[in-house]
Amino acid sequence: MKKTIAMLSAVAVAAVMQVSAQQAIWGVPDIVSPEINSDLTVTFRLKAPGASKVQITGDFLGLPTVDMARDSTGLWTYTSDVIAPELYRYNYVVDGLTITDPANVYELRDACTVFNYFIVPGEGSELYSVADVPHGSVSKVWYDSPALGMKRRMSVYTPPGYESDGRRYPVLYLLHGMGGDEEAWLTQGRTAQILDNLIARGLVEPMIVVMPNGNASQEAAPGETHFGLVPPTIALPHTMDGAYEEAFPDIVAYVDRTFRTKADKGHRAIAGLSMGGFHSLHTSKQYPELFDYVGLFSAAINPRVEGSEVYVDREAKLKKQFAEGVKLYWIAIGSDDFLYNDNVAFRGVLDSLGLPYEYRESAGGHIWKNWRHYLAEFAQKLFR
Amino acid sequence: MKKTIAMLSAVAVAAVMQVSAQQAIWGVPDIVSPEINSDLTVTFRLKAPGASKVQITGDFLGLPTVDMARDSTGLWTYTSDVIAPELYRYNYVVDGLTITDPANVYELRDACTVFNYFIVPGEGSELYSVADVPHGSVSKVWYDSPALGMKRRMSVYTPPGYESDGRRYPVLYLLHGMGGDEEAWLTQGRTAQILDNLIARGLVEPMIVVMPNGNASQEAAPGETHFGLVPPTIALPHTMDGAYEEAFPDIVAYVDRTFRTKADKGHRAIAGLSMGGFHSLHTSKQYPELFDYVGLFSAAINPRVEGSEVYVDREAKLKKQFAEGVKLYWIAIGSDDFLYNDNVAFRGVLDSLGLPYEYRESAGGHIWKNWRHYLAEFAQKLFR
């Protein structure tokens, strides 16, 4: 009797509450999307018989949106042109509503936006695909920042073998841009994959990569603090008022006492994208004793900043920084980046001061594709 | 001239290629969803003027779907009844198409299904909310498994202070179910939050929690292997054929040489949900020298299994396991779980053999809510 009741009850519950693992397992999609064809076109599919109009939007299209074609079963399809090897993003727009692809579990978040991504294989994307090579470890750790009066979270990549080889490693501090957090360089930046692959190919000095949270009022990425599952906020206070740069030694102190680092100037690099480039510029000159390598990736050179002590006497501090020795000051930007002119001007300042730097101009603009490639290029110049 | 061209070019690129960080930043939603009201009702919103019918589906509704109401601007809304404190999942169904909530970046993946989640605050959910307490570290590491002929990935939680206190810790090996991987216990299981909170309250012995990948043919979770961004597969080979259990010592060996563990039977626990419970049952009796604590959470007791040596002489091996000493054998299941009867039968087997266990029956079925609570209860019984 009990067995029958239990079974009936189970059936009833299962029917009403569709959250059992079994139900989820039965949610396997019956379409493939995206499908990367052998000719490197890509086919996208959406089963939406109830929709009147479905479009695809993505950074590989060359247009804001493209209409998808519907068949008699309500399956919508679009096949792209041949796409160059790279990591791309897309969404669907269903009767005006932007959604993710229900058949593609691979998503990324950029600030408040969630989109799907895919990788077209080949030479341009090998570096950030997972390859059959040794993999480093990725950790999320909390450190104390007395200067900011809070405990804060950051991501740390340690190279393959770190757990067992007892060796000490140099450190690259890699900073994100506005709207980002301590996860951005790992998710959109593919930092772990890039480092795994460069190390496997012997193209970089194996290193630890520290990815802090650059929003000085934030403890951690959205959802990872005791404020709960709050909507990501863009306009955060204290992101560019000098507080973060001033507090940076708290990060270095934690890293040097927690990880087996080569704790000296010649084995520390700092680099970042956009706001992170701004932070790298100012942190490295605020603490010229810390970093021999500086990388500005599409750096935000001239935002409106508060009058922190960090920002005064910029040129005097730059001179002092270079006088103390800089092995590499690397400035990279895309020719279409809206920050291009600010970077031209900044290079002009360095030129007028006689401070040497390496300049790398790529195609494109303020996009992650450039930052992934800048990371790969910059990393190969470090510590050797 | 160059400045004008650069600006025009930047504008053109920005217009066409909507992937700049600035564009993402401008994608801030102008609605709040979900909104947890002070009376613990929850309001869900979707801006979809082009939709004809929008429903919400979720595990708090008591019905498979509920229609949302549309206003004149095309904003769809639903406000729930009062909801008990807990973690809940939901999706929207727009003209028959199941999607995630575009205004809610918080998502979870269960096998092939991506859904949104939210937490109603209060006593029932405190344990897996992020609280203002010390936080442990969460790492993704790769270990070598000679028995499986591959390197494999797993998640490891270390308790707050681990990096600096030099202490040794006991270890809980926590196993996932079918369709899951080394991320499931962290994402849906909220393991890091649960352990942080239990430790902060002094309710558990601080411990390391190891969350391996139980799909013996898989190196790692979908997207984390060199097979690339493949659709998650449910019907994986070798998940329940004895290979995983036989290879388990490779995991323990790696953990004991890599982390500061108390490497003895009295300081090792193994527990798992569903297929993970099955794995815990068989691994612990295959290697009775390893674990003093065993936890079966809604365990899959009687799947169709291959005739591995691991599965023969089950009762003799159980007797031997208990003869070598078991401090706690804990069996938990929901009264509505479809595996309820198999667990009744298994307890009957233990009874007939005179092998003592603790039994915990909860309400509900084969759901993550139960597994989170079982973890919290079981952890408090370990190592003291």
Side-chain angles (χ1 to χ4, degrees), chain B residues 159-172:
Chain B
Y162 177 86
E163 284 77 13
S164 56
D165 64 18
R167 292 174 46 189
R168 292 194 164 267
Y169 289 92
V171 184
L172 166 61

Side-chain angles (χ1 to χ4, degrees), chain B residues 115-129:
Chain B
F115 47 88
N116 291 104
Y117 74 105
F118 62 98
I119 297 177
V120 176
E123 203 187 305
S125 62
E126 274 177 344
L127 215 50
Y128 31 81
S129 300

Side-chain angles (χ1 to χ4, degrees), chain A residues 255-307:
Chain A
V255 170
D256 284 342
R257 70 172 173 265
T258 308
F259 296 91
R260 294 192 316 272
T261 64
K262 293 183 177 178
D264 59 80
K265 186 169 181 291
H267 292 99
R268 276 198 215 95
I270 186 167
L273 70 95
S274 199
M275 175 180 83
F278 173 83
H279 286 153
S280 298
L281 192 167
H282 289 288
T283 302
S284 66
K285 71 173 183 26
Q286 185 73 8
Y287 299 105
E289 72 281 11
L290 283 185
F291 307 99
D292 251 350
Y293 300 86
V294 180
L296 309 187
F297 304 172
S298 315
I301 301 287
N302 289 322
R304 285 196 211 89
V305 293
E306 311 289 359

Side-chain angles (χ1 to χ4, degrees), chain A residues 352-372:
Chain A
S352 70
L353 297 173
L355 306 177
Y357 56 88
E358 262 187 51
Y359 176 59
R360 161 75 165 114
E361 184 168 316
S362 69
H366 210 67
I367 55 178
W368 270 104
K369 169 186 170 178
N370 274 336
W371 302 324
R372 289 187 290 265

Side-chain angles (χ1 to χ4, degrees), chain B residues 138-307:
Chain B
V138 174
S139 301
K140 306 297 167 67
V141 302
W142 286 77
Y143 71 100
D144 191 25
S145 183
L148 292 176
M150 63 172 79
K151 294 204 169 40
R152 311 188 69 242
R153 183 173 181 260
M154 63 185 177
S155 299
V156 181
Y157 166 91
T158 52
Y162 177 86
E163 284 77 13
S164 56
D165 64 18
R167 292 174 46 189
R168 292 194 164 267
Y169 289 92
V171 184
L172 166 61
Y173 292 86
L174 192 56
L175 279 49
H176 64 82
M178 184 166 290
D181 51 53
E182 70 276 16
E183 302 191 349
W185 265 112
L186 286 169
T187 54
Q188 295 195 83
R190 306 287 289 181
T191 294
Q193 292 82 5
I194 290 170
L195 265 296
D196 284 349
N197 290 326
L198 289 175
I199 289 171
R201 299 178 193 190
L203 292 174
V204 297
E205 190 67 24
M207 66 184 83
I208 293 167
V209 183
V210 175
M211 291 154 279
N213 178 310
N215 309 310
S217 66
Q218 249 190 5
E219 293 179 354
E224 299 291 340
T225 76
H226 59 95
F227 294 108
L229 305 177
V230 291
T233 314
I234 310 297
L236 288 164
H238 300 306
T239 49
M240 291 170 110
D241 68 355
Y244 181 63
E245 297 94 320
E246 282 201 59
F248 208 88
D250 289 343
I251 296 175
V252 177
Y254 173 85
V255 170
D256 284 342
R257 71 173 172 264
T258 307
F259 296 90
R260 294 191 317 271
T261 64
K262 292 182 177 178
D264 59 81
K265 185 169 182 289
H267 292 98
R268 274 197 216 97
I270 184 166
L273 71 96
S274 199
M275 174 180 84
F278 173 84
H279 286 153
S280 299
L281 192 168
H282 289 289
T283 302
S284 66
K285 72 172 181 29
Q286 186 72 7
Y287 298 105
E289 71 281 10
L290 283 184
F291 307 99
D292 251 350
Y293 301 87
V294 181
L296 309 187
F297 304 173
S298 315
I301 301 287
N302 288 323
R304 285 195 212 91
V305 293
E306 311 290 358

Side-chain angles (χ1 to χ4, degrees), chain A residues 67-193:
Chain A
D67 289 353
M68 295 177 76
R70 182 203 163 108
D71 75 8
S72 59
T73 73
L75 177 69
W76 300 78
T77 310
Y78 169 72
T79 296
S80 72
D81 296 335
V82 172
I83 305 180
E86 187 46 71
L87 185 154
Y88 298 98
R89 60 180 279 179
Y90 71 100
N91 286 91
Y92 293 145
V93 185
V94 179
D95 294 324
L97 176 67
T98 301
I99 66 168
T100 49
D101 182 349
N104 181 3
V105 300
Y106 299 106
E107 298 177 342
L108 293 169
R109 176 180 68 83
D110 188 352
C112 303
T113 309
V114 178
F115 48 87
N116 291 103
Y117 74 105
F118 62 97
I119 297 178
V120 176
E123 202 186 305
S125 62
E126 274 178 343
L127 214 51
Y128 31 82
S129 300
V130 178
D132 193 10
V133 299
H135 301 294
S137 300
V138 173
S139 301
K140 306 296 166 66
V141 302
W142 286 77
Y143 71 101
D144 190 25
S145 183
L148 292 174
M150 62 172 79
K151 294 205 167 41
R152 311 188 68 240
R153 182 173 182 259
M154 64 185 177
S155 300
V156 181
Y157 166 90
T158 53
Y162 176 86
E163 284 77 12
S164 55
D165 63 18
R167 290 175 47 190
R168 292 192 164 270
Y169 288 92
V171 184
L172 164 61
Y173 292 86
L174 193 56
L175 280 49
H176 65 81
M178 184 165 290
D181 51 53
E182 70 275 17
E183 303 192 347
W185 265 112
L186 286 169
T187 54
Q188 294 195 83
R190 305 288 288 181
T191 294
Q193 292 82 6

Side-chain angles (χ1 to χ4, degrees), chain A residues 2-4 6-7 9-11 13 15-25 27-29 32 46-51 57-60 62-65 89 94-100 102-107 109-115 117-119 130-132 134-142 151 163-164 178-179 190 193 219 221-232 234 254 257-259 273 335-338 340-341 344 361 364-368 371, chain B residues 2-4 6-7 9-10 13 15-25 27-29 32 46-51 57-60 62-65 89 94-100 102-107 109-115 117-119 130-132 134-142 151 163-164 178-179 190 193 196 219 221-232 234 254 257-259 273 335-338 340-341 344 361 364-368 371:
Chain A
K2 189 180 171 104
K3 182 169 177 172
T4 312
M7 285 177 68
S9 177
V11 168
V13 167
V16 172
M17 299 198 42
Q18 294 174 8
V19 298
S20 70
Q22 288 290 100
Q23 283 296 118
I25 286 169
V28 179
V32 175
L46 176 69
K47 198 77 180 280
T57 178
D59 59 353
F60 52 93
L63 294 168
T65 58
R89 60 180 279 179
V94 179
D95 294 324
L97 176 67
T98 301
I99 66 168
T100 49
N104 181 3
V105 300
Y106 299 106
E107 298 177 342
R109 176 180 68 83
D110 188 352
C112 303
T113 309
V114 178
F115 48 87
Y117 74 105
F118 62 97
I119 297 178
V130 178
D132 193 10
H135 301 294
S137 300
V138 173
S139 301
K140 306 296 166 66
V141 302
W142 286 77
K151 294 205 167 41
E163 284 77 12
S164 55
M178 184 165 290
R190 305 288 288 181
Q193 292 82 6
E219 294 179 352
E224 298 292 338
T225 77
H226 59 94
F227 294 108
L229 305 177
V230 291
I234 309 299
Y254 173 86
R257 70 172 173 265
T258 308
F259 296 91
L273 70 95
S335 53
D336 293 328
D337 197 309
F338 66 93
Y340 185 88
N341 292 329
V344 170
E361 184 168 316
H366 210 67
I367 55 178
W368 270 104
W371 302 324
Chain B
K2 188 175 172 106
K3 182 168 176 174
T4 311
M7 286 177 65
S9 177
V13 167
V16 173
M17 300 198 42
Q18 295 174 8
V19 299
S20 71
Q22 289 289 101
Q23 281 296 117
I25 285 169
V28 179
V32 174
L46 176 68
K47 199 75 181 281
T57 178
D59 59 352
F60 52 92
L63 294 169
T65 58
R89 61 180 277 179
V94 179
D95 293 324
L97 176 67
T98 301
I99 66 167
T100 50
N104 181 2
V105 300
Y106 298 105
E107 298 177 341
R109 177 180 68 83
D110 189 351
C112 303
T113 310
V114 178
F115 47 88
Y117 74 105
F118 62 98
I119 297 177
V130 179
D132 194 9
H135 302 294
S137 300
V138 174
S139 301
K140 306 297 167 67
V141 302
W142 286 77
K151 294 204 169 40
E163 284 77 13
S164 56
M178 184 166 290
R190 306 287 289 181
Q193 292 82 5
D196 284 349
E219 293 179 354
E224 299 291 340
T225 76
H226 59 95
F227 294 108
L229 305 177
V230 291
I234 310 297
Y254 173 85
R257 71 173 172 264
T258 307
F259 296 90
L273 71 96
S335 53
D336 293 329
D337 197 308
F338 67 93
Y340 185 88
N341 293 332
V344 169
E361 184 168 316
H366 210 66
I367 54 178
W368 270 104
W371 301 325

